[in-house]
Amino acid sequence: MSDDGHQQSGTGQENAPSRQRRRFPGISSRAYEHPADRSALVALRKLSGFDTVFKALSGLLPERSLRLLFLSDSVRVSDQQFAHLNDMLRDACYILDLEKVPPMYVTQDPQPNAMCIGLDEPIIVVTTGLVELLDEEEMRAVVGHEVGHALSGHAVYRTILLFLTNLAIRVAWIPLGNLAIMAIVTALREWFRKSELSADRAGLLVGQDLKASMRGLMKIAGGNHLHEMNVDAFLKQAEEYEAGGDLRDSVLKILNVLPRTHPFTTVRAAELKKWAESRDHQRIMDGHYPRRTEDKDTSVTDSFRESAAHYATSVKSSKDPLMKLVSDLAGGAGDLGGRVRRGFGGFAGSAPAEDQPPRNGSDGSDGPTDTPPRTQD
């Protein structure tokens, strides 16, 4: 049962959570959204005619085809099929106060995965690989993650992203057309990676068990071998990933993440733990959070300001070599040219020699100098 001790009826949410969890009546998705995700969503919701445009586009998108595909070739979750998942789904909607429970399907696929797609009405799809991998509390966090996507309206943009990605493949033979579409896809992927961090937070609000959320992410990364894994060591990997290497590694990180729709798993775990320990999370758990009734009054400018402030703080506190360089540039640090040369020198196969000080000789010819060469950092 939830804190209020009531079971909701009339909306398909008759079953309250199986153990005591806090419920968040009327909660706005802004409560848990990552600042970059929130600013984009607030701006889109403010656009006049936004819903009309996307409904008009729905005829061009494969949503109807996807619905028929899952209906015909997957198992729809209900009281008769995958009943334990159905209970989790209703629980998640009950806790986040999502009035309409989205349809949920289990599809045969050994790859652990889940998604929330759809323009008019979102649907949730989980693979058999994920169902078989996670225990009940871990799976509850995943279901909450997908319900968080539905509450935020992420399903609309994910559907568009799938459509544009397929379109880019079809028009790959048109150089300029492909470049234009891929620019949009790249931007959507960057936003979607942030939306995944938002949904991870929603999953924590539903499951209210940080250890279960951590276990689930570890299993997605390393399989069903928890006895061989350690949460602290897993989070240590995220620290090493962020701070390790030089500018070459920073560039490689960017190249590695560009084609992905999800952040790397260790990064997700570290971000979720940081948010779970934050004052924002504690305020939500104490019942202090923005309501959906206030969404229409949300300032786009304030949302973008919060997003910019978040990125500025992230850059300033980051241990990544490239982010440290950016921070130093903003602060006017000296010897940046030498740091850049040292950072990228390995791309040429060996580190470049440092600039030598000018000779004092009048002929300007090369020759020995009393100043010893500097070594690399």
Side-chain angles (χ1 to χ4, degrees):
M1 296 291 291
S2 63
D3 276 359
D4 59 13
H6 292 84
Q7 292 182 336
Q8 185 168 338
S9 61
T11 58
Q13 300 174 14
E14 293 81 9
N15 291 349
S18 58
R19 64 174 172 81
Q20 185 172 352
R21 293 182 178 84
R22 293 188 182 276
R23 183 173 178 253
F24 309 103
I27 189 172
S28 168
S29 59
R30 292 181 291 114
Y32 58 79
E33 284 164 353
H34 184 279
D37 177 28
R38 187 190 310 129
S39 63
L41 291 173
V42 168
L44 287 171
R45 290 164 186 154
K46 289 286 185 178
L47 290 178
S48 178
F50 172 76
D51 291 338
T52 303
V53 170
F54 279 103
K55 285 182 179 179
L57 282 174
S58 64
L60 301 175
L61 301 176
E63 178 183 4
R64 188 179 298 273
S65 174
L66 288 173
R67 289 180 181 278
L68 291 173
L69 177 63
F70 290 120
L71 182 63
S72 63
D73 205 33
S74 301
V75 177
R76 184 163 57 191
V77 171
S78 65
D79 287 332
Q80 291 78 38
Q81 302 185 118
F82 289 100
H84 71 292
L85 294 181
N86 197 43
D87 289 341
M88 290 182 196
L89 177 62
R90 291 188 294 190
D91 287 351
C93 293
Y94 178 77
I95 291 172
L96 294 181
D97 198 17
L98 184 62
E99 184 174 347
K100 189 170 184 179
V101 180
M104 183 175 179
Y105 293 90
V106 177
T107 188
Q108 173 63 34
D109 187 342
Q111 183 71 25
N113 197 14
M115 61 181 174
C116 182
I117 57 174
L119 284 175
D120 291 328
E121 296 181 3
I123 61 174
I124 295 173
V125 181
V126 297
T127 65
T128 52
L130 189 67
V131 174
E132 293 164 2
L133 178 65
L134 304 182
D135 68 23
E136 181 176 353
E137 292 304 310
E138 296 157 7
M139 194 67 199
R140 190 183 300 277
V142 169
V143 173
H145 174 112
E146 300 305 327
V147 170
H149 276 314
L151 182 58
S152 289
H154 292 154
V156 173
Y157 317 116
R158 179 171 189 132
T159 305
I160 294 171
L161 178 59
L162 288 172
F163 170 72
L164 289 176
T165 303
N166 291 333
L167 181 61
I169 295 174
R170 293 179 184 178
V171 300
W173 59 277
I174 308 175
L176 293 180
N178 184 52
L179 285 175
I181 293 173
M182 286 311 299
I184 299 173
V185 168
T186 299
L188 276 172
R189 282 175 178 161
E190 168 58 19
W191 162 77
F192 201 83
R193 286 190 289 270
K194 296 301 185 290
S195 77
E196 286 299 317
L197 300 180
S198 300
D200 283 343
R201 296 174 180 183
L204 179 60
L205 291 179
V206 168
Q208 299 176 23
D209 185 345
L210 180 61
K211 291 181 179 179
S213 294
M214 292 291 107
R215 291 199 310 268
L217 289 170
M218 288 171 64
K219 283 184 175 180
I220 290 172
N224 194 14
H225 304 281
L226 280 178
H227 62 288
E228 299 284 356
M229 294 184 277
N230 177 275
V231 173
D232 293 333
F234 189 66
L235 293 172
K236 186 73 174 177
Q237 290 179 225
E239 294 180 14
E240 184 177 341
Y241 171 78
E242 181 185 5
D246 52 25
L247 292 178
R248 293 166 294 174
D249 296 294
S250 297
V251 173
L252 292 174
K253 292 175 190 176
I254 295 172
L255 294 177
N256 284 340
V257 79
L258 277 179
R260 295 175 60 94
T261 57
H262 289 57
F264 292 115
T265 316
T266 58
V267 175
R268 290 174 63 185
E271 287 285 338
L272 184 59
K273 184 174 186 294
K274 185 189 304 181
W275 186 73
E277 296 170 348
S278 70
R279 185 170 179 268
D280 289 341
H281 175 254
Q282 187 57 53
R283 283 180 58 81
I284 295 174
M285 297 305 295
D286 290 340
H288 305 293
Y289 51 81
R291 263 63 175 183
R292 267 169 255 166
T293 53
E294 305 163 354
D295 284 350
K296 63 181 182 301
D297 301 320
T298 305
S299 167
V300 176
T301 302
D302 289 345
S303 297
F304 276 110
R305 188 179 295 119
E306 291 175 11
S307 178
H310 170 81
Y311 273 113
T313 302
S314 298
V315 169
K316 187 174 181 180
S317 61
S318 175
K319 298 178 182 178
D320 179 83
L322 181 58
M323 292 300 101
K324 289 173 68 176
L325 179 62
V326 170
S327 180
D328 288 346
L329 277 170
D335 192 31
L336 291 174
R339 289 176 59 186
V340 171
R341 285 193 297 273
R342 290 194 297 274
F344 286 103
F347 278 120
S350 61
E354 292 289 343
D355 292 339
Q356 297 295 326
R359 293 185 70 250
N360 293 326
S362 59
D363 60 356
S365 61
D366 292 335
T369 175
D370 293 333
T371 304
R374 290 180 295 167
T375 58
Q376 288 195 3
D377 290 342

